[in-house]
Amino acid sequence: MGPWRYLIGLCCFLQAPLAGADMPLLANSDFFSLNPTQTTIALEQPICMFKSAVNVYLIGIVAGAPNTPLYDGNKKVNASTYSGTQGGKTGPYIVAKLPNQQCINIQALSNMADPTQVQSILSKYVVRVGADVTCLTNPNFVGYCNAPLQGNTQYSFKYLFTDSGDIVQSETSWSLGITTVNGKASSTIDTWPGRRSGGMIVLTSILSTLMFFVFIAYVIGFAYSIANGSPAKEVSRHDTQTTAVLQKAQEPGEVTYSSALTGSERYAPTQQA
């Protein structure tokens, strides 16, 4: 056990310098193909970097802003909030306070195939900067505001490892600049087809609506005519004349019926002379 004891001691001695030499990195592009976006940046959480720490503070700052101290002389965290720095424009701010992830009981990324474990696994490995859209408007919000980032703006980040009293034990270097996506102005959006103007789009919408109402009126009229029936045409009648002649030989005193049938006339018997 002698040599192993010295090796363990050396690892503990180098733990803080190794942590400080690291920096926050963008999350794996296999899981976040659109990163960064216009308002968010997904970063990898620090895992097994400083085991004795209890909490991890994620600090953010806009490129070019004054880099004010993150902790006081006693190494207690005193960085400002999102609102106090205008979202990092006037100095570094606390993005989030996270529990320090230990090496034990970490879920394997291979379990991502199980849809029921995806969210819990990602919450262990990734922190999404700018994910909270309500903390600025909710008057009852408690904690550090991880509000949406500004589009087309470069940010840098670092981690502070603290104990339970928020005393800094170690820290990483600032990350390289990460620029959010530049959002398009509404006037530059391609209004397919043919890049129609706003007036043309409104006119087309109105005409389409009118055509719809005309079609509905036609359908209603057609259905009404079927339900009530079409006007019946008067049946043409033809007057016919029929002459009935008794062909057999008449005997004296026998009556012969000779008539012309027109319309609804009845037979009129005639006495033969």
Side-chain angles (χ1 to χ4, degrees), residues 141-234:
F141 178 80
V142 177
Y144 297 104
C145 184
N146 184 12
L149 305 176
Q150 297 294 318
N152 194 30
T153 304
Q154 188 178 90
Y155 291 84
S156 292
F157 303 94
K158 75 181 311 180
Y159 288 117
L160 300 180
F161 299 87
T162 70
D163 60 14
S164 58
D166 289 340
I167 303 300
V168 177
Q169 305 293 308
S170 183
E171 61 185 293
T172 66
S173 301
W174 285 100
S175 70
L176 300 177
I178 304 173
T179 304
T180 53
V181 175
N182 184 19
K184 290 185 177 181
S186 58
S187 59
T188 64
I189 297 176
D190 187 1
T191 53
W192 183 89
R195 296 183 63 83
R196 305 297 184 189
S197 64
M200 287 291 292
I201 294 175
V202 172
L203 180 61
T204 303
S205 301
I206 293 175
L207 293 177
S208 300
T209 304
L210 290 177
M211 285 294 295
F212 173 76
F213 285 118
V214 170
F215 175 74
I216 292 298
Y218 174 78
V219 172
I220 293 174
F222 182 73
Y224 179 81
S225 65
I226 293 177
N228 292 275
S230 301
K233 294 184 178 179
E234 185 178 356

Side-chain angles (χ1 to χ4, degrees), residues 16 50-57 70-79 94 97-98 100 144 159-171:
F50 196 81
K51 298 179 183 180
S52 62
V54 177
N55 298 311
V56 179
Y57 282 85
L70 302 177
Y71 42 83
D72 58 21
N74 296 321
K75 287 197 170 184
K76 186 177 180 64
V77 177
N78 64 354
I94 299 176
K97 182 180 181 180
L98 311 168
N100 187 32
Y144 297 104
Y159 288 117
L160 300 180
F161 299 87
T162 70
D163 60 14
S164 58
D166 289 340
I167 303 300
V168 177
Q169 305 293 308
S170 183
E171 61 185 293

